[in-house]
Amino acid sequence: MFIINCPYCGKREQSEFKAGGEAHIVRPKQPTELSDDQWAEYLFMRKNIKGIQFERWVHTHGCRKWFNVVRDTSNDVIKAVYKMGEKPPTK
Amino acid sequence: MTKNLRVKTSKFIDETYKISFKFNGTTYYGYKGDTLASALLANNIHLVGRSFKYHRPRGIMTAGSEEPNAIVQLHNNTSRTEPNVRATEIEIYEGLEASSQNCWPSVNFDIGGINNFLSPVLPAGFYYKTFMWPANFWEKYEYFIRKSAGLGKSPTLPDPDIYEHRYIHCDVLIIGAGISGIMAAKTAARNGFKTLLVDEKPYLGGSTIYQNSEHFKINNQISSSWLEKEINEIKKIENLEIKTRTSVAAYHGYNFLLAKENLTDHIPLEQRNNKTRQRLLKIRAKKVITATGSLERPLIFDNNDRPGILLSSALEKYANLFGVACGEKNILFTNNDSAYETAISLYQKGINIEAIIDNREEIDSKLIKEIERNNIKIYKGYTVVDTSGYKRISKISIMQLSKDGQKVIGSKKSISCDCLGISGGWTPAVHLFTQSGGKLKFRDEDQVFIPDKYPLNQISIGSCNGDFTLDEILSNIHKTLKEFLNIKETDYENLEVYSSFNKSKRNIWLLPSDKLIGKTKPFVDYQNDATAKDIKLALREGFRSIEHVKRYTTTGMGTDQGKLGNMHALGIISETSGSKMGELGTTTFRPPYTPLTFGTIVGRNVGEYFDVFRKTPIHDWHIENKAEFENVGQWKRAWYYPKDGENMHDAVQRESKAARDSAGILDASTLGKIDIQGTDASEFLNRVYTNAWSKLAIGKCRYGLMLNEDGMVYDDGVTTRLDENHYIMTTTTGGAATVLGKLEDYLQTEWPELDVYLTSVTDHYATVSVCGPNSKKIVSQVIPDLDFSDENFPHMSFKNAKISNIKCRVMRISFTGEHSYEINIQANYGKSVWEKCMEVGKEFNITPYGTETMHLLRAEKGFIIVGQDTDATMTPIDLQMDWIVSKKKYDFIGKRSLYRSDTIREDRKQLVGLLTENPNEVLEEGAQIVADIKKTPIEMLGHVTSSYYSPNLKKSIALGVVKGGKNMMGKKLVIPMENKQINVTVADPVFLDKENKRLNA
Ligand SMILES: [Zn+2]
């Protein structure tokens, strides 16, 4: 069970959080302009990386804020956390 | 043939404290300090069980938690019975009753033993190959397999014991209190770390504590004496907590570990009442030191499983710790020096050793010299090729090994014995290390897997790290601890260590035999009866991956998880397939390391504490009025109110009729309520619901349908505009939490520019819903100040009001199709408003109804229930609810998905009404719907989602989803049941009052 450093509350146990899948997938501003394939790309296609992965998490049993997590899926080490809207760390 | 094999007093055994216990119905005696295994061995009992597949007689094999054979059932047929208890771990207490498992009628005469003689026809994968064909015979086979298989019996009575969970936070956790663990604990605690030391055994000191030989010395003292002083010292350290009888079951990431602390399993049953039996410790440690030791390996040769064959280290432990001789004519068989340590211990206790068989040709160490001085015969360069004795070993046959170790040469020689101690060297106990995510490497010199890459903040020390000898352990430990704990000094800088142990070893995974492998039974996994022959067969049949071989042969899949034989299985695969051990890798070691009881896992979360349940403010009234309840999410909802011995059907028919004829009352407090405020609230609703919200006037209500981004219906409910920038949304009872979560997600991540605030207010309000032609007469008496005229208060509108000065919100909305009102009031007034409605409603026969009647009434109107009539594959179009999908809005959640190539298919499953040919026949929900019963394979068109007998329409009605159902109006379909076929006609899903006259009546 991870310890996740919520950017608003600090370190808390994983059971307080929920994972929300891959981060930085932006909902298209004009969905009606998209072809079926383009819409499907947004709707269904997700990466499943062994290694550094950018993810969304929410502090469900805490501040209820969504934020981003950089996690190494091969050993579950969390490299960074940052708020929604912030730029992902480059290193 | 009971004999007393207690040899010499051991300080770990209290001979003044005699304990009687029963094994297979016979009474025996042991002493305080004995395990069941040591007490049985002292009574010269080796045979304790039968093996799983061949029902071969099996005896005690080890002296610890790795025991594969000696697993027993405790207190059979009582509420405290427990299967699969290792005799080597259970401490005896007065009144203990144990019995053998996996044998019938008795361990001495077992009918299943015939499998042993049938074994040529029971090779690996036998069950897979034989019983899967012909497929329809499986049921017959299964009956017999289930009957003759199984390890022990699970309890059938409620568990009388108490279990609990406890969190522990510490700076340093040390797993294992052997010499390494003790030294680590002292060092950590003395340096100010809050330290926890756990060990699965009842005593501290591991195997060193009963080491009693001049051959192992620390600072010129015998190692056990030196360690005893260390133990006495650490017991006095304040910031060190020590837990014995505590086994770590799981080691998860981020140093989160689960351990089972055993508190009462070693005391007599009558003393256990009201005490906590086992505790699940949830340990979060900043640093973890694993000192779990190592397990001795057996040797793999023909018939290596007879009772009386034990690990050599077990013979030593039984002699030194328990003062028990495992036999009177002992032989040791080894490929390394460990057996000589055992030999010296046995010799010191006066236990007879007939001979030592050593794989190695050239050996030389002080240990061996001492054995030779005492005239014990050593056969150097020999191997055991076979053993005899059915229920107890009586003889071994030995032959000389060829130079390359591949063959046996010369003539066979027999030596009689009643006990054989075997040693194949040592395997580091790396199970917890790998569970935590650690990676192993293979060390070629002595053929062991040792820790290589550690996750953060942990280290392995001692023999679980591959340091097997006392001098290796002690010369490394202080450096490792200093670096890991970041400290300057330890007490162990300049220890003088003396060890006679020589590390030479001749590793042969499968020892050669004079017979063909097909004629032998060299067991690799004792508990699952997997032999070397089975592994070779699996390889011949094309299995390559160790994980596949494991599953095919069942090697390592017993309750012991193959702690003894896994390495040999790997070794045999490696030798046979020519691949390197390091490249093969090991199978995954999964938690728990040793089995946990269900009681420990659930702790106090049993009975009414199994899950939290939520009650409405009116709950007590429902109880007083004998409601039956149903679980909806975590809520307890009134289901129906049986009167005068009514069954559910009768109660629901009566309630449904009363609601339409006069008045009904429903507790709707469980519906989710979300308060929505902000200048962008209307825009927000436009984006999350399929219909338009901007033009909804203040004081009006509207039904909304919410989709997922994939276009599928997610939730529904009525939302009311309370003010310009203020709405109250209702959700389904079960969907409340997830809907709030989803709305928050969109607000925070996709539309942070919107000025909207969401607050869950479900628990803040009680909701009393009164429906029926007389509902207006009732609520207008409850709220006399409010103008209930249709002009002032039409359907789908809302009013602020007061009941005796208490503010409330009244909505005129309906889920039943009747004229109805919902009164929302601060939760703690809910019950009094309900009671007031009941009181004034008396003259109108106001009838409380539960969820079942609510479902029936809405089905008459063709209203859907999300989650019952929908299942995350239904779009609003599939539900024939096109009217609620705005064509004008540019976007809303799920809109784009409504015209994907798949969602516009005409032959999707669509919601329709179903009427049975016989109006009294009520369909079964979930029943399949077909068109042509004769077509094969029969084509399933859909299924029934809701079905009731309608007392108001006096006929059976149902909703269902049918492929292309929209265009099937009037078509006849068939519902095939087990014993009959039911003819139905596709109909409009609105069965009652299509013109909505009743809403305004
Ligand atoms: Zn937080």
Side-chain angles (χ1 to χ4, degrees):
Chain A
M1 278 227 277
F2 314 164
I3 301 277
I4 299 172
N5 190 7
C6 170
Y8 303 91
C9 308
K11 288 183 178 175
R12 296 289 190 282
E13 189 156 291
Q14 186 186 344
S15 55
E16 293 188 13
F17 299 84
K18 248 190 207 151
E22 192 180 335
H24 303 299
I25 294 176
V26 180
R27 187 173 188 272
K29 286 274 177 284
Q30 297 174 314
T32 44
E33 315 285 304
L34 302 183
S35 68
D36 269 13
D37 284 352
Q38 287 168 320
W39 180 245
E41 181 70 27
Y42 159 72
L43 198 55
F44 301 120
M45 305 314 277
R46 296 292 181 271
K47 295 189 196 103
N48 186 15
I49 297 164
K50 183 176 183 184
I52 301 293
Q53 180 162 289
F54 294 78
E55 307 172 326
R56 289 156 20 100
W57 286 76
V58 58
H59 196 183
T60 317
H61 301 286
C63 61
R64 294 192 71 83
K65 287 282 196 184
W66 283 89
F67 57 94
N68 296 308
V69 166
V70 187
R71 181 172 65 103
D72 187 337
T73 59
S74 68
N75 58 13
D76 287 337
V77 172
I78 292 174
K79 304 279 188 188
V81 294
Y82 55 102
K83 293 177 183 173
M84 280 296 156
E86 288 180 355
K87 285 233 151 55
T90 43
K91 267 193 171 177
Chain B
M1 24 154 220
T2 331
K3 267 183 201 163
N4 184 2
L5 291 183
R6 194 75 62 169
V7 280
K8 210 169 171 185
T9 332
S10 154
K11 63 181 169 187
F12 299 95
I13 295 291
D14 182 357
E15 288 194 38
T16 63
Y17 197 133
K18 204 170 175 185
I19 291 172
S20 74
F21 66 97
K22 274 187 184 166
F23 179 65
N24 285 337
T26 309
T27 302
Y28 299 96
Y29 295 92
Y31 299 116
K32 192 171 174 58
D34 265 327
T35 62
L36 178 59
S38 69
L40 287 172
L41 291 170
N43 286 285
N44 199 25
I45 294 167
H46 278 257
L47 173 63
V48 286
R50 293 273 176 162
S51 71
F52 186 64
K53 193 158 116 193
Y54 304 128
H55 290 246
R56 283 168 71 99
R58 288 281 164 81
I60 297 156
M61 174 94 200
T62 72
S65 63
E66 71 272 35
E67 175 62 37
N69 289 341
I71 54 178
V72 296
Q73 182 102 23
L74 295 186
H75 301 284
N76 212 348
N77 299 325
T78 73
S79 59
R80 282 203 165 95
T81 192
E82 188 175 353
N84 304 336
V85 175
R86 288 172 294 280
T88 49
E89 284 197 298
I90 188 81
E91 299 164 60
I92 59 164
Y93 49 83
E94 192 61 40
L96 169 73
E97 286 185 27
S99 43
S100 298
Q101 295 181 169
N102 210 19
C103 54
W104 185 82
S106 82
V107 70
N108 278 298
F109 177 74
D110 174 47
I111 283 178
I114 195 136
N115 283 359
N116 190 24
F117 304 104
L118 293 176
S119 69
V121 299
L122 286 173
F126 175 72
Y127 292 126
Y128 298 126
K129 287 176 196 158
T130 313
F131 295 125
M132 296 318 286
W133 189 91
N136 56 352
F137 265 48
W138 170 246
E139 278 176 36
K140 289 190 182 68
Y141 292 135
E142 194 188 14
Y143 173 78
F144 289 103
I145 293 171
R146 293 245 181 264
K147 210 175 155 175
S148 62
L151 295 163
K153 281 185 265 176
S154 50
T156 53
L157 298 166
D159 190 334
D161 281 312
I162 305 167
Y163 303 82
E164 64 187 31
H165 290 178
R166 192 169 143 190
Y167 280 92
I168 296 188
H169 297 264
C170 59
D171 295 326
V172 182
L173 167 70
I174 294 139
I175 313 166
I179 186 165
S180 308
I182 298 284
M183 290 163 75
K186 186 175 159 195
T187 307
R190 279 280 164 81
N191 279 282
F193 294 100
K194 188 181 166 204
T195 306
L196 174 65
L197 172 66
V198 301
D199 196 290
E200 59 183 4
K201 294 175 283 296
Y203 57 88
L204 301 173
S207 58
T208 310
I209 202 67
Y210 53 80
Q211 179 57 255
N212 213 7
S213 131
E214 294 282 335
H215 291 277
F216 302 97
K217 283 180 162 182
I218 302 169
N219 286 351
N220 225 12
Q221 304 161 54
I222 288 177
S223 55
S224 56
S225 318
W226 181 85
L227 185 59
E228 219 175 293
K229 283 182 205 136
E230 292 290 302
I231 290 171
N232 288 335
E233 265 184 59
I234 66 163
K235 282 180 178 165
K236 293 176 208 145
I237 306 177
E238 246 180 41
N239 54 329
L240 170 64
E241 189 178 0
I242 301 171
K243 284 188 179 293
T244 53
R245 299 191 177 97
T246 301
S247 49
V248 174
Y251 189 165
H252 298 294
Y254 287 68
N255 282 347
F256 180 72
L257 300 95
L258 297 176
K260 178 187 75 176
E261 185 181 15
N262 233 323
L263 298 162
T264 62
D265 279 358
H266 60 290
I267 61 175
L269 295 188
E270 63 273 13
Q271 290 170 24
R272 293 187 192 179
N273 294 334
N274 303 319
K275 288 185 182 134
T276 299
R277 181 190 172 202
Q278 288 165 351
R279 220 178 250 153
L280 185 73
L281 305 177
K282 302 178 176 185
I283 307 169
R284 184 73 80 165
K286 290 191 185 134
K287 288 171 180 285
V288 174
I289 298 173
T290 307
T292 43
S294 50
L295 302 170
E296 193 168 27
R297 291 179 188 170
L299 290 162
I300 311 299
F301 51 92
D302 191 15
N303 290 315
N304 60 344
D305 67 325
R306 299 193 189 282
I309 301 180
L310 291 87
L311 294 179
S312 154
S313 59
L315 293 193
E316 183 183 27
K317 185 170 176 180
Y318 285 119
N320 282 354
L321 189 78
F322 299 102
V324 171
C326 293
E328 291 167 298
K329 290 191 288 182
N330 299 287
I331 297 178
L332 295 168
F333 176 29
T334 187
N335 66 7
N336 70 96
D337 261 15
S338 307
Y340 295 90
E341 241 184 277
T342 301
I344 288 165
S345 291
L346 298 190
Y347 184 78
Q348 282 176 350
K349 297 264 172 190
I351 301 169
N352 171 49
I353 302 165
E354 297 281 311
I356 298 178
I357 322 297
D358 197 323
N359 277 352
R360 299 170 297 178
E361 195 101 30
E362 280 158 38
I363 41 174
D364 177 37
S365 73
K366 286 175 189 158
L367 285 171
I368 292 164
K369 288 212 174 75
E370 185 177 333
I371 293 297
E372 283 176 330
R373 262 203 307 283
N374 290 303
N375 296 321
I376 296 170
K377 170 78 182 156
I378 304 175
Y379 292 90
K380 297 177 187 172
Y382 273 78
T383 181
V384 177
V385 290
D386 197 3
T387 66
S388 325
Y390 187 54
K391 290 179 203 166
R392 174 83 178 258
I393 189 167
S394 59
K395 198 174 74 182
I396 61 166
S397 305
I398 63 169
M399 287 176 83
Q400 209 174 344
L401 276 166
S402 64
K403 278 270 179 275
D404 61 0
Q406 300 287 306
K407 294 193 297 282
V408 282
I409 48 178
S411 57
K412 216 188 284 191
K413 180 175 164 55
S414 290
I415 313 171
S416 71
C417 64
D418 62 356
C419 179
L420 176 67
I422 54 179
S423 175
W426 296 83
T427 298
V430 292
H431 310 71
L432 293 174
F433 168 78
T434 57
Q435 271 185 31
S436 76
K439 299 276 176 285
L440 300 168
K441 67 178 171 208
F442 191 69
R443 188 165 73 190
D444 285 312
E445 306 101 87
D446 55 350
Q447 308 270 297
V448 292
F449 281 102
I450 54 170
D452 184 21
K453 292 201 180 77
Y454 289 93
L456 288 174
N457 294 317
Q458 68 157 297
I459 199 81
S460 295
I461 57 170
S463 62
C464 72
N465 194 39
D467 295 339
F468 293 120
T469 65
L470 195 61
D471 41 332
E472 276 175 341
I473 294 171
L474 298 189
S475 60
N476 286 337
I477 199 163
H478 61 96
K479 279 181 271 173
T480 312
L481 288 176
K482 277 195 288 195
E483 199 177 305
F484 183 61
L485 298 174
N486 195 18
I487 52 172
K488 293 226 158 53
E489 226 180 351
T490 69
D491 289 356
Y492 310 116
E493 306 289 322
N494 298 305
L495 292 178
E496 249 177 69
V497 186
Y498 174 79
S499 166
S500 311
F501 198 90
N502 182 318
K503 273 175 72 179
S504 93
K505 173 172 154 186
R506 187 182 193 186
N507 197 76
I508 304 171
W509 294 114
L510 173 60
L511 291 159
S513 167
D514 56 324
K515 289 188 218 142
L516 290 170
I517 175 115
K519 303 273 180 201
T520 64
K521 280 210 187 75
F523 285 91
V524 174
D525 181 317
Y526 292 83
Q527 197 175 88
N528 275 342
D529 270 355
T531 64
K533 180 170 67 178
D534 294 325
I535 293 170
K536 292 200 170 210
L537 176 69
L539 292 167
R540 265 209 313 281
E541 293 187 354
F543 291 90
R544 283 293 172 269
S545 146
I546 169 70
E547 294 285 358
H548 292 158
V549 173
K550 167 180 164 172
R551 278 156 187 80
Y552 194 59
T553 61
T554 71
T555 302
M557 288 173 71
T559 61
D560 61 337
Q561 294 197 25
K563 291 189 179 80
L564 292 185
N566 273 350
M567 280 305 293
H568 303 83
L570 278 172
I572 292 164
I573 294 169
S574 159
E575 274 171 5
T576 313
S577 66
S579 37
K580 280 189 178 150
M581 290 285 281
E583 287 159 14
L584 273 176
T586 62
T587 56
T588 316
F589 300 113
R590 290 193 175 80
Y593 176 62
T594 48
L596 291 172
T597 58
F598 281 111
T600 313
I601 295 166
V602 297
R604 297 281 175 120
N605 304 320
V606 289
E608 62 178 306
Y609 304 114
F610 181 69
D611 194 8
V612 288
F613 62 88
R614 301 171 78 182
K615 298 182 286 190
T616 76
I618 308 162
H619 187 81
D620 288 348
W621 191 93
H622 305 318
I623 297 231
E624 283 157 30
N625 288 274
K626 311 271 183 306
E628 293 289 332
F629 289 87
E630 78 166 326
N631 297 325
V632 183
Q634 288 176 320
W635 288 99
K636 294 274 173 206
R637 291 200 73 176
W639 191 13
Y640 60 96
Y641 300 81
K643 247 186 182 175
D644 312 320
E646 274 176 336
N647 60 21
M648 175 161 143
H649 175 79
D650 293 346
V652 170
Q653 295 290 307
R654 171 180 54 73
E655 291 171 12
S656 304
K657 196 131 181 29
R660 291 225 191 272
D661 289 350
S662 179
I665 181 168
L666 172 84
D667 181 357
S669 309
T670 61
L671 286 179
K673 303 175 211 48
I674 301 170
D675 184 276
I676 303 173
Q677 301 193 40
T679 52
D680 292 317
S682 302
E683 172 60 19
F684 180 63
L685 290 174
N686 268 333
R687 295 187 190 185
V688 299
Y689 277 131
T690 60
N691 45 353
W693 291 79
S694 311
K695 290 190 184 125
L696 184 69
I698 295 168
K700 295 288 176 191
C701 315
R702 183 165 285 171
Y703 173 76
L705 206 55
M706 201 183 285
L707 310 184
N708 264 328
E709 207 67 271
D710 62 4
M712 304 304 156
V713 172
Y714 179 69
D715 202 75
D716 69 343
V718 170
T719 294
T720 303
R721 189 164 197 175
L722 302 172
D723 208 337
E724 177 66 26
N725 297 323
H726 191 186
Y727 291 84
I728 181 110
M729 174 190 278
T730 57
T731 72
T732 57
T733 297
T738 52
V739 169
L740 178 69
K742 178 182 155 98
L743 300 183
E744 285 177 328
D745 186 354
Y746 275 90
L747 263 186
Q748 289 179 34
T749 65
E750 299 295 348
W751 309 318
E753 72 281 4
L754 293 185
D755 176 42
V756 177
Y757 302 88
L758 305 172
T759 312
S760 165
V761 293
T762 305
D763 294 316
H764 301 201
Y765 295 95
T767 306
V768 177
S769 171
V770 182
C771 79
N774 286 314
S775 57
K776 188 193 279 188
K777 291 176 195 151
I778 295 165
V779 290
S780 59
Q781 283 184 64
V782 176
I783 316 171
D785 297 340
L786 188 59
D787 176 3
F788 278 92
S789 69
D790 285 346
E791 301 72 52
N792 181 56
F793 199 172
H795 182 55
M796 293 310 270
S797 63
F798 135 86
K799 295 289 171 199
N800 279 309
K802 278 184 177 178
I803 302 175
S804 314
N805 237 7
I806 309 299
K807 278 194 240 170
C808 62
R809 291 173 181 158
V810 188
M811 279 89 169
R812 183 170 165 189
I813 52 177
S814 176
F815 188 42
T816 59
E818 289 301 311
H819 188 134
S820 81
Y821 298 90
E822 278 188 8
I823 305 169
N824 289 274
I825 194 159
Q826 194 181 314
N828 43 342
Y829 297 107
K831 193 170 166 225
S832 68
V833 170
W834 175 279
E835 282 166 343
K836 184 81 183 168
C837 291
M838 289 303 296
E839 190 190 311
V840 300
K842 210 168 201 171
E843 60 174 306
F844 304 105
N845 182 33
I846 190 170
T847 302
Y849 65 92
T851 49
E852 192 64 22
T853 291
M854 175 184 84
H855 288 176
L856 188 158
L857 294 173
R858 64 84 210 181
E860 290 177 337
K861 269 299 277 184
F863 291 153
I864 57 154
I865 290 184
V866 173
Q868 175 163 344
D869 302 300
T870 72
D871 62 358
T873 64
M874 303 293 286
T875 69
I877 320 301
D878 298 336
L879 293 170
Q880 305 215 41
M881 288 173 79
D882 312 45
W883 54 271
I884 204 172
V885 180
S886 167
K887 303 277 182 303
K888 291 189 197 131
K889 282 201 293 180
Y890 181 69
D891 191 15
F892 56 82
I893 296 171
K895 178 177 169 113
R896 176 61 185 84
S897 292
L898 294 180
Y899 54 93
R900 290 177 56 237
S901 58
D902 184 58
T903 45
I904 55 172
R905 275 190 298 116
E906 286 291 310
D907 62 344
R908 289 178 62 82
K909 284 182 185 169
Q910 291 144 355
L911 187 80
V912 294
L914 298 167
L915 290 171
T916 49
E917 197 173 75
N918 171 1
N920 292 319
E921 180 111 58
V922 180
L923 298 174
E924 247 179 65
E925 287 175 359
Q928 292 292 322
I929 304 169
V930 305
D932 184 357
I933 195 93
K934 293 197 187 78
K935 193 175 158 190
T936 48
I938 199 161
E939 190 190 358
M940 305 293 185
L941 293 180
H943 63 277
V944 179
T945 59
S946 295
S947 171
Y948 308 90
Y949 183 79
S950 160
N952 299 300
L953 298 162
K954 299 201 169 48
K955 65 179 177 190
S956 153
I957 56 165
L959 298 173
V961 291
V962 177
K963 278 183 193 166
K966 228 181 252 186
N967 299 320
M968 283 190 184
M969 215 47 62
K971 191 174 159 65
K972 295 207 179 322
L973 295 174
V974 181
I975 297 187
M977 299 302 289
E978 201 173 1
N979 307 315
K980 60 184 170 185
Q981 295 160 20
I982 304 171
N983 297 321
V984 295
T985 309
V986 178
D988 188 325
V990 184
F991 300 102
L992 180 128
D993 188 27
K994 205 170 163 65
E995 306 76 34
N996 290 333
K997 283 188 194 140
R998 307 178 72 98
L999 286 171
N1000 299 306

